[in-house]
Amino acid sequence: MFTILDWISLVLFVAGWILYSFLIERSHWRALTLTAAMNRQRVVWMETMLAREVRIVDTSIVAGLQNGTAFFASTSLLAIGSAFALMNAADLGIELARHLPGASQVTRDQWELKALGLMGIYGYAFFKFGWSYRLFNYASILMGAMPPASERDTEDARIAARRAGAMNAAAGRHFNRGLRAFFFSVGYLGWFASDWAFLVLTLVVLAVLVRRQLGSEAARIARLGDSGLDA
């Protein structure tokens, strides 16, 4: 049904997603990433919060993180609906795609399968954003359970700070996975135009994401002052 280049592009898409996730979350390079640098700051944030008697600013920050996560969760549902509409409008979409430069011939079955794949990507993003929102709730509970500033030098206080920081980082990790699905869906959308567009856009998205994590200005700023890491 699909051409060899279609399958090559699809395999590259899946492999690129997996390898990028491995690079950011499990490889030896993960300590140099923007995500890892910000996770370290989440723990520092919790340790700093121990010294504050009034923690309104901290709860406001968590509320902002939750609102952002809720926004993307809602956006994921809208994207799923759009992908479903794309599948229902297969005939119109195929006709429009035929007029694009370098467009490949697509059957209705192929178009519908591509739309189902897109729905799966956005469905995955929704579950990640939904779980991230829940984890931010848990993080806010752990923050509320932290000892007062007068007990900040105790072992229990340090454990509570590390626990809240780790939960906050876990919420951020699932949020990033949802965003990752959104970013890679940009490459996937190229498949509706042609197999070559799918291949090229996937490589572009992958290159942009790797650069942002390792070589961007934001990554250098976040690593600034980290012991043993280049600024």
Side-chain angles (χ1 to χ4, degrees), residues 115-222:
L116 280 174
L118 189 62
M119 289 174 64
I121 293 172
Y122 291 136
Y124 169 85
F126 170 74
F127 278 103
K128 286 300 177 182
F129 287 130
W131 184 234
S132 175
Y133 185 87
R134 188 62 175 168
L135 290 179
F136 276 125
N137 280 337
Y138 293 153
S140 64
I141 292 172
L142 291 176
M143 290 168 62
M146 288 174 66
S150 59
E151 301 177 15
R152 64 180 179 274
D153 294 326
T154 63
E155 182 62 22
D156 287 343
R158 287 189 286 269
I159 292 174
R162 289 195 297 269
R163 184 188 297 121
M167 186 66 73
N168 198 298
R173 180 166 59 252
H174 286 276
F175 179 82
N176 288 336
R177 289 173 180 174
L179 276 183
R180 192 176 306 158
F182 269 30
F183 292 143
F184 273 96
S185 72
V186 175
Y188 188 93
L189 284 170
W191 202 10
F192 289 92
S194 71
D195 41 21
W196 279 109
F198 185 21
L199 180 65
V200 171
L201 282 176
T202 296
L203 291 174
V204 169
V205 168
L206 187 59
V208 169
L209 292 180
V210 170
R211 181 190 173 278
R212 285 181 176 178
Q213 284 289 340
L214 295 173
S216 66
E217 181 183 9
R220 291 192 295 271
I221 292 172

Side-chain angles (χ1 to χ4, degrees), residues 1-3 6 94 98 102-107 110 114 193-194:
M1 182 181 294
F2 291 111
T3 66
D6 280 320
I94 292 171
R98 284 175 181 167
S104 48
Q105 296 297 319
V106 181
T107 66
Q110 290 174 331
K114 292 176 183 180
S194 71

